[in-house]
Amino acid sequence: MKSIPRTLEWIGDLPGHLRLLDQTLLPTDLAYRDCRSVEEVWESIRNLRVRGAPAIGIAAAFGVVLGMQVHTESASCAERLNHICDYLRSSRPTAVNLFWALDRMEKKLLSEPEALAKDRPSSLTLHALTRILLSEAIAIQREDRQMCLAIGRIGAHLIHDGYGVLTHCNAGSLATSEFGTALAVLYSAHDQGKKFHVFADETRPLLQGARLTAWELQQAGIDVTLLCDNMAGQVMREGRVHMVIVGADRIAANGDTANKIGTYSVAVLAKAHGIPFYVAAPSSTFDLSISDGSQIPIEQRDPREITEGFGKVIAPTGVRVYNPAFDVTPAELITGIITEKGLIHPADARIIRTN
Amino acid sequence: MKSIPRTLEWIGDLPGHLRLLDQTLLPTDLAYRDCRSVEEVWESIRNLRVRGAPAIGIAAAFGVVLGMQVHTESASCAERLNHICDYLRSSRPTAVNLFWALDRMEKKLLSEPEALAKDRPSSLTLHALTRILLSEAIAIQREDRQMCLAIGRIGAHLIHDGYGVLTHCNAGSLATSEFGTALAVLYSAHDQGKKFHVFADETRPLLQGARLTAWELQQAGIDVTLLCDNMAGQVMREGRVHMVIVGADRIAANGDTANKIGTYSVAVLAKAHGIPFYVAAPSSTFDLSISDGSQIPIEQRDPREITEGFGKVIAPTGVRVYNPAFDVTPAELITGIITEKGLIHPADARIIRTN
């Protein structure tokens, strides 16, 4: 497989810095952003330079390291950690993986007795504790990578020679440490020498499909055709789509799946054309505390993403806009869910609970 | 009803000129373009300053008048007419109404004995013949207006208080002489004092829903919410859509309907949610020479409409693009077809043939 530039990586040791591929500049410019402070990580998450639930979590974990590696005169170790994590949590308040990664970093540090001292730590102690945090951030990244590889391996057998595979939004390398979730399945099948073709929905309003998915599949040497979201039904009708695969933001205990707006429409269209519809996501995406998708709140985003999304006003002033970030695809429209642990098929409550 | 600026009108008598609302500048600028030559009409059709099948036909008819009203030294009347019509036909070679209107103008003139003279006409003769052409162009425009009013009147009873009505693309005032087809139904219901809400798909790639439909509904004082095409399924799922109404580019003898790309997906979604799906179009949109939609060719348009549609490159260089202009909605997904002659319900071959 041709290689896709790395989404994010830690450069150096301690002190070191976080290098991010600036996704706001894709696909026209391939440029990196070196974050040397926690503020720069916050800004990169806030402004979508790094996006995708797993990638945000990893970036935030390294952000904690950046915040702690600077020796300051005031505050105990626990106070500083708490301050840094709270600050990073405010970068994208709805991102579940962000909270998960920061909680994990906090828990890791607070299991060290030295971190609990009420006084300002010595610079030697601080250095040792920051090293523990760096190891934890690297572990989060490594586990994410392994999770993506496992999803790819497990899902690849679903792809056959000659298939047309439709995807929506970007559940790819750019959304994770590497490989992605839905796209990991495609990369894995491609590595196995399978010949297939991908249809990438452009994914309005933020065009992650056009800007990111089409770009990374092209980088990887996989055949891809870009289409507007409203063309998915037509390619299906023409018999050119044999399978749909998408990522997920949250999956309820019964298999109902929240993902980028438009996913639900694609699922309905797939059903109407008898095309299998798969979700690929790490098992951490399951939220067993909610019984079904009706309990997943649908966040409304800034109307300007629709009315002036590309630097040009394309709608009349003052028009009312509907701009939900996500929708929920009911489990009955989902053929199977591919996780790093295996394929859940069909996606129903009993099987999910026992996995 | 608040008034919507006129799509196009003839200014003055003879010589006169054609004033077009320049639709490429909407919704940010409301500006007119005065066409004083056939070349300016050609350019306006070519560059979508005027668009929508009926409006293109009317503009071309007035274009013929502009071409003929200039006294030149050479050619017989029939030769000049033929030359002008051929030139206008090349402005948008796939627009059926363009050909229809030009054929009608030619037929009208060639039914006049003076027009058949082999010699160059006297300026008095030319003036008289051009007046006949102007009357015919005005008649085409008037008939279009009456057709739109009739469609509105016939369809209005389908709208009830509290309805949410979803539409795709622009089948409105801007696509016709006035009132539109699908939107005529909404204007008529609004005039009757009915309270309803419209959801307008933005309609990628050219955003006729955002730029034109949202704008003209707003001008008319009708409540409208703009959404991306991939959000239609979600508003339906939320129970906010009670009816879908769209226009048509061509309708086969069995009721299969070609319309703007994305219409088919909306129809599948409507069916899945038990929402009635109506097409509104003049009876001239029926093409009884084709038995079903499989015989309607699907034109592919310039990939740049997708990759750089917002004045900014939003997809990687060289990516393959799928950009069909239309899709075909099969008759079984259509609840009824509203024409100026009545409501065809259900949309099946037997009823269409006898109407």
Side-chain angles (χ1 to χ4, degrees):
Chain A
M1 178 170 111
K2 292 190 205 166
S3 97
I4 302 166
R6 292 289 291 273
T7 308
L8 74 185
E9 80 190 294
W10 184 258
I11 305 289
D13 183 43
L14 271 183
H17 69 273
L18 177 64
R19 178 166 290 170
L20 297 173
L21 180 59
D22 188 343
Q23 299 189 34
T24 61
L25 303 178
L26 288 174
T28 44
D29 296 302
L30 180 67
Y32 294 90
R33 192 166 190 95
D34 285 329
C35 299
R36 295 173 196 280
S37 69
V38 63
E39 289 79 11
E40 287 172 294
V41 173
W42 187 94
E43 188 275 342
S44 291
I45 296 173
R46 174 70 129 203
N47 294 326
L48 311 180
R49 298 185 200 285
V50 59
R51 33 65 56 198
I56 289 172
I58 299 162
F62 285 117
V64 174
V65 180
L66 288 174
M68 291 296 282
Q69 75 179 2
V70 190
H71 191 73
T72 58
E73 293 301 312
S74 60
S76 74
C77 193
E79 276 170 351
R80 284 188 57 191
L81 180 70
N82 186 257
H83 177 77
I84 290 165
C85 289
D86 276 356
Y87 173 65
L88 284 168
R89 278 185 191 97
S90 71
S91 60
R92 279 194 74 186
T94 54
V96 173
N97 284 55
L98 173 67
F99 293 93
W100 170 84
L102 291 169
D103 289 350
R104 178 165 160 179
M105 294 294 279
E106 278 193 311
K107 203 169 153 189
K108 182 70 187 177
L109 197 74
L110 299 178
S111 70
E112 299 294 325
E114 281 115 323
L116 301 173
K118 294 249 179 290
D119 301 329
R120 185 168 66 79
S122 70
S123 77
L124 215 68
T125 305
L126 187 64
H127 187 81
L129 291 173
T130 305
R131 181 161 300 287
I132 290 169
L133 286 172
L134 179 58
S135 301
E136 191 68 2
I138 289 169
I140 290 175
Q141 182 173 28
R142 188 180 54 236
E143 290 164 23
D144 182 70
R145 186 178 183 279
Q146 286 161 350
M147 174 275 292
C148 292
L149 279 172
I151 287 176
R153 207 167 42 237
I154 290 165
H157 79 276
L158 298 169
I159 313 267
H160 299 283
D161 275 335
Y163 259 32
V165 182
L166 187 136
T167 189
H168 188 75
C169 198
N170 177 263
S173 174
L174 292 166
T176 59
S177 60
E178 223 173 324
F179 309 115
T181 52
L183 298 195
V185 172
L186 304 183
Y187 293 137
S188 186
H190 182 67
D191 272 353
Q192 294 171 9
K194 291 180 180 169
K195 304 276 174 240
F196 55 94
H197 189 87
V198 182
F199 294 95
D201 280 355
E202 65 172 5
T203 317
R204 278 281 283 154
L206 294 180
L207 298 165
Q208 292 91 339
R211 294 192 302 107
L212 309 177
T213 297
W215 179 81
E216 67 166 272
L217 289 172
Q218 206 184 40
Q219 296 288 315
I222 294 180
D223 277 343
V224 57
T225 294
L226 175 65
L227 67 168
C228 296
D229 302 312
N230 67 24
M231 298 165 184
Q234 178 61 19
V235 279
M236 290 181 184
R237 187 151 193 251
E238 291 171 11
R240 296 159 75 194
V241 178
H242 306 90
M243 172 180 169
V244 174
I245 188 163
V246 297
D249 284 89
R250 207 182 330 183
I251 306 176
N254 73 337
D256 290 355
T257 295
N259 191 44
K260 182 62 60 202
I261 184 68
T263 303
Y264 168 63
S265 290
V266 173
V268 171
L269 289 166
K271 181 84 165 187
H273 293 85
I275 298 167
F277 179 95
Y278 288 96
V279 170
S283 55
S284 61
T285 312
F286 284 91
D287 182 348
L288 300 182
S289 74
I290 52 173
S291 58
D292 64 58
S294 67
Q295 294 164 65
I296 303 176
I298 303 293
E299 169 203 355
Q300 287 289 323
R301 292 181 59 88
D302 190 334
R304 287 173 300 182
E305 289 179 355
I306 294 180
T307 59
E308 40 189 283
F310 303 90
K312 192 174 166 183
V313 175
I314 55 160
T317 309
V319 72
R320 191 179 296 136
V321 168
Y322 176 69
N323 187 16
F326 306 109
D327 57 29
V328 175
T329 300
E332 65 263 27
L333 295 179
I334 300 171
T335 310
I337 302 175
I338 306 156
T339 79
E340 76 283 11
K341 297 180 180 174
L343 173 64
I344 303 174
H345 167 78
D348 75 21
R350 196 184 49 78
I351 301 178
I352 289 168
R353 292 227 175 250
T354 56
N355 256 261
Chain B
M1 177 170 113
K2 291 191 206 166
S3 96
I4 302 165
R6 293 289 291 273
T7 307
L8 75 183
E9 80 191 294
W10 183 259
I11 304 291
D13 183 46
L14 271 182
H17 69 274
L18 177 64
R19 178 166 290 168
L20 297 173
L21 180 59
D22 188 343
Q23 299 190 33
T24 61
L25 304 176
L26 289 175
T28 46
D29 296 301
L30 180 67
Y32 294 90
R33 192 166 190 95
D34 285 329
C35 299
R36 295 174 196 279
S37 69
V38 63
E39 288 79 12
E40 286 173 294
V41 173
W42 187 94
E43 188 276 342
S44 291
I45 295 173
R46 173 71 128 204
N47 293 326
L48 310 180
R49 298 186 201 284
V50 58
R51 32 65 59 198
I56 289 172
I58 300 163
F62 284 117
V64 175
V65 180
L66 288 174
M68 292 294 283
Q69 74 179 3
V70 191
H71 191 73
T72 58
E73 292 302 310
S74 59
S76 74
C77 192
E79 275 170 352
R80 286 188 56 190
L81 180 71
N82 185 257
H83 176 76
I84 290 165
C85 289
D86 276 355
Y87 173 65
L88 284 168
R89 277 185 192 97
S90 70
S91 60
R92 279 195 75 186
T94 55
V96 172
N97 284 54
L98 173 67
F99 293 94
W100 170 85
L102 292 170
D103 289 350
R104 178 165 160 179
M105 294 294 279
E106 279 193 310
K107 202 168 152 191
K108 181 70 187 179
L109 197 74
L110 299 179
S111 70
E112 299 294 325
E114 282 113 325
L116 301 174
K118 294 246 178 296
D119 302 329
R120 183 169 67 79
S122 70
S123 79
L124 214 70
T125 304
L126 186 64
H127 186 81
L129 292 173
T130 306
R131 181 161 299 288
I132 289 169
L133 286 172
L134 178 59
S135 299
E136 191 69 1
I138 289 171
I140 290 174
Q141 181 173 30
R142 189 181 53 237
E143 289 164 23
D144 182 68
R145 185 177 183 279
Q146 286 162 347
M147 175 275 292
C148 292
L149 278 172
I151 288 176
R153 207 168 41 237
I154 289 164
H157 80 277
L158 298 169
I159 313 270
H160 298 285
D161 274 335
Y163 259 32
V165 181
L166 188 135
T167 189
H168 188 75
C169 197
N170 176 263
S173 175
L174 292 166
T176 58
S177 59
E178 225 176 329
F179 309 115
T181 53
L183 298 195
V185 172
L186 305 181
Y187 293 137
S188 184
H190 182 66
D191 271 353
Q192 293 171 8
K194 290 180 181 170
K195 303 279 174 236
F196 56 93
H197 190 88
V198 182
F199 293 97
D201 280 356
E202 66 173 4
T203 317
R204 279 281 284 152
L206 294 181
L207 298 166
Q208 292 92 338
R211 295 192 301 107
L212 308 177
T213 296
W215 179 81
E216 66 166 271
L217 290 171
Q218 206 185 40
Q219 295 288 316
I222 294 179
D223 277 345
V224 57
T225 294
L226 175 65
L227 66 168
C228 295
D229 302 312
N230 67 23
M231 298 165 184
Q234 177 62 19
V235 279
M236 289 181 185
R237 187 153 191 249
E238 291 171 12
R240 295 159 76 194
V241 178
H242 305 90
M243 173 181 168
V244 174
I245 187 163
V246 297
D249 284 88
R250 209 184 326 184
I251 307 175
N254 72 338
D256 289 356
T257 295
N259 191 43
K260 182 63 58 203
I261 184 68
T263 303
Y264 169 63
S265 289
V266 173
V268 171
L269 290 165
K271 181 85 164 188
H273 293 86
I275 297 166
F277 180 95
Y278 288 95
V279 170
S283 55
S284 61
T285 312
F286 285 90
D287 183 348
L288 301 182
S289 74
I290 52 174
S291 58
D292 64 57
S294 67
Q295 294 164 64
I296 302 176
I298 302 292
E299 168 202 357
Q300 287 288 322
R301 291 181 59 88
D302 190 334
R304 286 174 299 182
E305 289 180 354
I306 295 181
T307 58
E308 28 189 294
F310 302 90
K312 193 175 165 182
V313 175
I314 55 160
T317 309
V319 71
R320 191 179 297 137
V321 168
Y322 176 69
N323 186 17
F326 306 109
D327 57 28
V328 175
T329 300
E332 64 263 26
L333 296 178
I334 300 171
T335 309
I337 302 175
I338 306 157
T339 79
E340 78 281 12
K341 297 182 180 173
L343 173 64
I344 303 175
H345 168 77
D348 75 21
R350 197 184 48 78
I351 301 179
I352 289 168
R353 290 228 177 251
T354 57
N355 256 260

